[in-house]
Amino acid sequence: MREIIKGSFQVGCNDNVSGILNTEDGSKEFNCWSSEFFNVESHSDIYGKTSEGKYISLINCLGNTSQHRYGQTASFDAKIYSHLMIVGDSKISPSEDLFKSISLTIDNAERIIPRHSGFDYINFPNDELLSALKKQDYHEELEPNERAIIAYFDGNFEIFSQDTKIGKVSASNRLSTGGGYSINGVSIKNKVVVNIDFEEPLLLEEVFERAYKLSFFLRFVSGTGLHFGDISLKKDCEDEHQELLVYHSNYNWGEDTKISFTSDPLVDVNGEEFLCILENWFDKEERDTVRYSFYGSYFQEGYSPSRLIAVANLFDIFPSPIGEEKKKLPEGSSKLLEELDSRIRSDFEDFDEIKQSLLYSISNISRKSLKDRVFERINVLELHQKSRPLSADDLRYIVRKAILVRNFFVHGSGKDKLFEKIDPFEFQSLFTDTFEYIYGWSELIEGGWSGENVKIWNEGHKMHFLEKTIIDDLRILKDKLKSKP
């Protein structure tokens, strides 16, 4: 939505504040002014009306008022930043209003639906079709002949629909037509809109949280640079047609980059397999924190020690199945550790710092290490990718080195012989890519990806690119370790 919005607002005790927002340049600041003083309270909600009578809701605002004096006359103005701006037929109270659905328009839908059969042309139609066209009452003056060109939509508005824990998730075509009765021709334009219908109406914060989760999932599955533009909400009210438009929010809905190529998504959204993965993905709510950590790394472009640490750490916080939180120890060792624990507590009773350090070391023996947790995810891959050029043993080899480098960046420990042969910074891209590859692929498999589908990585998708770069960089790493004494 790109337009200039003008309105009058109530800010604090002043109900005569004028404001303007120029969304054409992507600005999220309201410029407001008044001849009377007004104060923008931190994190307040501010309401106004446009000249067309639409309500403007500025949610969670920040801003400072400035005073200007011209002789005896004073004026006041402020730049107000709101975390959320909504325009519609009613104002929004984030702590009271409930919403039954949210819709997200995909600005570049070809990134996730690269081949869609709903639109096509017919060149030189046959006599039967020409006869049917001539019978149309709408355009009596048209006389289509054998050289006619017909553009059409097949009438299938629904692309997919699936019940999930976050609500009923669906995607549909929204067409607009133009031209006609003109030498300039006609057009069929389409937008793909993703919708979440909630089982029970939700407050605004939860609505956006669920939509954000879905947007991340679709951005991961898509080929390149998926971006969500227009966002709209529907309140839980009798008016089915009331739609509230979101002009901006503090969420990141993807970068609107002008990429000249497209690549196939990891999963065909028109197939049953996608619906299975979509449902299973959101069944695992306990993995939300881990996934946010993954997305935070996956959508970055540059490499750094902090990124490597973050993507490695997500395996440490990955929830283990109940009863599998601890490492299995050799038979009889648990009793010996209990006896050692008791002895440390008594023998070092007067040396608390030493006692706590020893007890912590004992507890780590039964706790799964970072390597154990990453290897668990590699085991998931191993069952489904026996024919892949990157083997599970290759991944384990890289992970062992990656964890040493990760530990160096965290603790500064550099005594391992590895650092006599390579610089810790030298292969941080390989190690980061490997962690992302293991996590992303294992999640898709557990979500329902078919192990029989050997064409898993479609050309151009980042996950395919990761596999190729890991193989190339692994060869360089092995050669370098072999060449040094």
Side-chain angles (χ1 to χ4, degrees):
M1 296 170 213
R2 299 297 188 198
E3 59 180 288
I4 297 176
I5 299 173
K6 300 177 182 178
S8 56
F9 300 84
Q10 179 175 354
V11 184
C13 297
N14 189 340
D15 58 1
N16 191 30
V17 178
S18 299
I20 185 169
L21 173 67
N22 182 6
T23 64
E24 292 179 337
D25 60 4
S27 173
K28 296 182 179 180
E29 284 186 342
F30 252 109
N31 293 301
C32 301
W33 60 91
S34 175
S35 58
E36 300 175 16
F37 175 76
F38 62 93
N39 180 46
V40 181
E41 293 186 14
S42 181
H43 302 292
S44 62
D45 301 327
I46 295 174
Y47 301 99
K49 264 193 174 184
T50 68
S51 55
E52 292 81 19
K54 295 285 187 181
Y55 284 94
I56 302 175
S57 300
L58 305 176
I59 308 300
N60 196 1
C61 296
L62 299 170
N64 292 308
T65 305
S66 300
Q67 180 180 2
H68 303 276
R69 183 169 294 278
Y70 306 94
Q72 299 299 316
T73 305
S75 65
F76 304 87
D77 61 49
K79 291 184 182 295
I80 298 177
Y81 173 82
S82 63
H83 284 75
L84 188 64
M85 173 186 167
I86 302 174
V87 177
D89 293 329
S90 61
K91 67 179 184 179
I92 303 300
S93 172
S95 61
E96 296 178 5
D97 288 328
L98 297 173
F99 299 85
K100 60 183 179 182
S101 70
I102 184 170
S103 298
L104 310 172
T105 299
I106 305 178
D107 283 349
N108 46 1
E110 69 279 2
R111 310 251 180 240
I112 194 167
I113 314 173
R115 292 179 297 275
H116 193 43
S117 59
F119 302 87
D120 209 340
Y121 290 96
I122 296 177
N123 295 293
F124 310 114
N126 59 33
D127 292 339
E128 186 176 351
L129 181 53
L130 287 173
S131 177
L133 289 172
K134 290 177 180 179
K135 290 180 181 179
Q136 296 295 316
D137 297 329
Y138 309 109
H139 306 291
E140 296 179 359
E141 74 280 9
L142 293 179
E143 285 292 333
N145 58 54
E146 67 277 2
R147 291 175 295 175
I149 298 175
I150 301 168
Y152 71 93
F153 168 60
D154 66 8
N156 293 316
F157 285 91
E158 184 176 279
I159 299 172
F160 65 79
S161 180
Q162 178 63 48
D163 289 322
T164 72
K165 270 195 174 180
I166 64 170
K168 184 176 182 179
V169 177
S170 60
S172 58
N173 297 304
R174 288 192 182 176
L175 270 67
S176 61
T177 58
Y181 304 104
S182 167
I183 194 62
N184 294 322
V186 298
S187 66
I188 302 175
K189 299 288 186 181
N190 183 47
K191 288 184 177 181
V192 174
V193 178
V194 178
N195 194 74
I196 310 177
D197 289 300
F198 308 116
E199 188 174 347
E200 297 290 338
L202 302 172
L203 290 172
L204 195 62
E205 184 177 0
E206 179 64 20
V207 168
F208 272 90
E209 187 62 35
R210 295 192 184 191
Y212 202 44
K213 290 180 189 178
L214 177 62
S215 73
F216 268 131
F217 170 73
L218 294 177
R219 287 172 61 193
F220 169 55
V221 168
S222 71
T224 47
L226 196 69
H227 173 259
F228 297 89
D230 295 349
I231 302 173
S232 62
L233 300 158
K234 284 192 176 179
K235 268 187 178 181
D236 182 39
C237 60
E238 295 180 358
D239 187 357
E240 291 289 330
H241 301 288
Q242 186 186 92
E243 193 171 56
L244 299 155
L245 302 179
V246 179
Y247 275 78
H248 72 73
S249 71
N250 62 331
Y251 292 89
N252 180 1
W253 301 103
E255 298 299 324
D256 189 11
T257 54
K258 306 301 181 184
I259 304 173
S260 59
F261 68 92
T262 60
S263 62
D264 291 342
L266 288 175
V267 192
D268 181 3
V269 301
N270 295 300
E272 290 297 321
E273 192 169 57
F274 173 75
L275 299 181
C276 174
I277 295 173
L278 180 65
E279 180 180 13
N280 292 336
W281 193 270
F282 293 107
D283 273 347
K284 299 178 174 66
E285 295 174 304
E286 71 279 4
R287 298 186 184 181
D288 283 349
T289 301
V290 184
R291 286 172 179 164
Y292 278 130
S293 297
F294 168 69
Y295 296 138
S297 174
Y298 181 79
F299 292 118
Q300 287 187 44
E301 293 184 1
Y303 292 95
S304 65
S306 60
R307 180 179 172 188
L308 174 58
I309 293 168
V311 73
N313 286 354
L314 69 86
F315 292 92
D316 257 341
I317 62 175
F318 191 92
S320 298
I322 296 175
E324 297 183 19
E325 295 89 353
K326 293 186 176 181
K327 186 191 303 183
K328 290 184 179 179
L329 299 176
E331 188 175 349
S333 61
S334 296
K335 185 177 180 181
L336 291 173
L337 287 173
E338 289 176 6
E339 293 173 354
L340 181 59
D341 181 286
S342 177
R343 184 174 175 180
I344 289 171
R345 291 179 187 277
S346 60
D347 290 357
F348 290 89
E349 184 178 3
D350 297 330
F351 305 94
D352 188 65
E353 188 174 341
I354 298 175
K355 179 181 70 174
Q356 295 302 327
S357 179
L358 291 171
L359 292 175
Y360 178 74
S361 297
I362 291 175
S363 68
N364 279 338
I365 294 174
S366 60
R367 183 182 294 119
K368 287 183 179 179
S369 67
L370 174 59
K371 184 183 73 174
D372 295 329
R373 291 178 173 274
V374 181
F375 279 15
E376 285 177 345
R377 306 310 297 163
I378 294 177
N379 292 340
V380 176
L381 273 65
E382 192 170 20
L383 296 173
H384 292 269
Q385 67 171 54
K386 295 178 181 178
S387 61
R388 301 305 302 169
L390 185 59
S391 70
D393 286 340
D394 288 334
L395 294 172
R396 293 187 186 99
Y397 177 88
I398 299 169
V399 166
R400 289 187 182 97
K401 309 294 185 292
I403 290 175
L404 291 173
V405 173
R406 174 263 182 195
N407 291 343
F408 172 81
F409 288 143
V410 173
H411 306 294
S413 55
K415 296 181 180 180
D416 194 275
K417 291 183 179 180
L418 176 69
F419 302 121
E420 297 175 4
K421 300 178 180 181
I422 66 169
D423 185 279
F425 292 86
E426 190 172 357
F427 290 94
Q428 61 180 322
S429 60
L430 167 63
F431 301 143
T432 301
D433 290 345
T434 301
F435 284 132
E436 289 181 358
Y437 178 93
I438 293 168
Y439 178 81
W441 177 208
S442 63
E443 278 277 56
L444 280 172
I445 289 174
E446 290 188 331
W449 190 276
S450 171
E452 298 174 359
N453 188 347
V454 295
K455 190 183 177 183
I456 177 170
W457 310 124
N458 294 305
E459 285 292 335
H461 195 284
K462 181 177 178 180
M463 294 300 285
H464 175 80
F465 178 75
L466 288 182
E467 183 177 69
K468 291 192 294 186
T469 57
I470 290 170
I471 292 170
D472 292 341
D473 289 347
L474 173 59
R475 189 180 303 112
I476 297 171
L477 174 64
K478 286 183 173 180
D479 289 343
K480 187 151 191 177
L481 293 180
K482 285 179 183 177
S483 66
K484 298 249 180 150

